[in-house]
Amino acid sequence: MGPPSYSREGNVPSMTLESLERRVRYWQQQLGVLGISHFEIEEINIVEEDDEVPDALVSIDISHTYDKCKFHFTRDFLEGITPTALDKAIIHEWLHVAMRDFDRAADPVSGWMPTGAYIDWAARMDHEREGFVQRAAEALFFCYTFGIAGDSASPEVGLDPAPLQVERQH
């Protein structure tokens, strides 16, 4: 069963935790080919502010040793969100889950570099990772919006064509 259907115009009607959970699980199923379908969603939270990432509107905690994750959505983000932006944000966070093992492979570099060089390198990696994840989320959303993803794209989603807003990060 797909997420709740609604028009892609205007803001999402009052977002309940249950409807948010259905959307997160729907996109997990759709993106399962990326190796995320087996991840256990430990929590989906609507919070005033994310304690771990204070400036984030949406964030995800991914276990380093088990295939588990926790989603955090700020109330401010959900109050003004359009369905398109919500789906893109969920896809974006699932892509971070898909990249977990890649990110972990880079962790040992911290022991090989002087502290200053590592700080610069880590900041650049974070910037490039976010840019890649955002571009990939836009592309995947586009594929599902226009049915390019094949039979797995559910007509229940009610995805109307939405303009892409891909911005170059550098």
Side-chain angles (χ1 to χ4, degrees):
M1 181 170 148
S5 291
Y6 47 72
S7 168
R8 287 209 154 299
E9 296 178 19
N11 292 345
V12 173
S14 180
M15 179 59 62
T16 65
L17 192 56
E18 181 182 334
S19 60
L20 184 59
E21 184 175 324
R22 281 198 311 265
R23 293 195 83 71
V24 168
R25 291 187 188 285
Y26 171 80
W27 284 110
Q28 179 183 25
Q29 177 188 19
Q30 295 302 308
L31 301 172
V33 69
L34 299 176
I36 61 171
S37 60
H38 66 285
F39 269 77
E40 177 186 338
I41 302 169
E42 288 188 301
E43 293 177 7
I44 298 174
N45 299 311
I46 298 175
V47 298
E48 294 302 321
E49 183 176 299
D50 189 333
D51 295 333
E52 298 292 320
V53 189
D55 294 333
L57 297 174
V58 181
S59 67
I60 191 160
D61 295 329
I62 309 165
S63 171
H64 289 284
T65 54
Y66 299 101
D67 292 341
K68 298 179 180 185
C69 58
K70 298 176 185 178
F71 283 81
H72 309 283
F73 296 86
T74 63
R75 192 170 309 286
D76 287 345
F77 175 72
L78 293 175
E79 286 177 3
I81 194 76
T82 63
T84 296
L86 177 60
D87 286 340
K88 287 179 182 180
I90 292 169
I91 294 168
H92 178 105
E93 297 307 319
W94 275 122
L95 287 171
H96 280 296
V97 173
M99 290 186 64
R100 178 197 63 179
D101 294 336
F102 173 80
D103 292 339
R104 289 193 61 221
D107 287 348
V109 172
S110 65
W112 306 338
M113 292 181 162
T115 303
Y118 175 73
I119 289 170
D120 289 346
W121 177 82
R124 177 67 188 264
M125 288 296 288
D126 287 345
H127 174 77
E128 296 301 329
R129 180 185 312 102
E130 283 300 318
F132 170 77
V133 166
Q134 187 58 38
R135 290 188 303 275
E138 295 278 351
L140 285 167
F141 180 81
F142 178 84
C143 290
Y144 280 92
T145 298
F146 291 104
I148 298 169
D151 294 336
S152 62
S154 171
E156 285 183 59
V157 179
L159 297 176
D160 295 329
L164 283 181
Q165 297 175 347
V166 179
E167 296 179 18
R168 190 142 178 93
Q169 298 293 320
H170 33 192

